[in-house]
């Protein structure tokens, strides 16, 4: 019984941690005019932030990476689905 209780507490703590990260990301993406995703795997926090930004009416930009890199798959997915690629960092930096 005690082992079961510890397992439930462990799950609850991890769930609260995940929810707090999403809440923080929602605040950050809401404060920004745009979100630039530089590197993202297929399932990553960067994609969660990008989707939050879209839901808040913010621009999302993605930097394409090597086609063979697993860490670039999320960026390629964003570009393919609906976002603009940034060919270099220069256009994204205000002057």
């Amino acid at each position: 019984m005690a082992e079961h209780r510890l397992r439930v507490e462990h799950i609850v703590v991890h769930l609260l941690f995940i929810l707090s990260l999403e809440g923080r990301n929602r605040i950050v993406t809401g404060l920004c005019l745009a979100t630039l995703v530089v590197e993202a795997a297929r399932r990553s926090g960067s994609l969660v932030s990008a989707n939050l930004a879209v839901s808040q009416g913010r621009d999302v930009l993605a930097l394409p990476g090597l086609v063979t890199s697993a860490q670039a798959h999320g960026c390629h997915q964003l570009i393919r689905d609906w976002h603009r690629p940034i060919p270099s960092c220069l256009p994204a930096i205000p002057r």
Side-chain angles (χ1 to χ4, degrees), residues 29-78:
T29 57
L31 291 172
C32 297
L33 297 176
T35 298
L36 173 62
V37 180
V38 176
E39 194 171 79
R42 278 205 173 100
R43 294 173 49 109
S44 71
S46 299
L47 295 181
V48 171
S49 294
N51 287 323
L52 288 170
V54 167
S55 72
Q56 295 167 325
R58 304 295 193 246
D59 286 333
V60 173
L61 307 131
L63 188 67
L66 294 173
V67 177
T68 56
S69 171
Q71 295 303 316
H73 289 178
C75 289
H76 296 157
Q77 176 187 337
L78 288 172

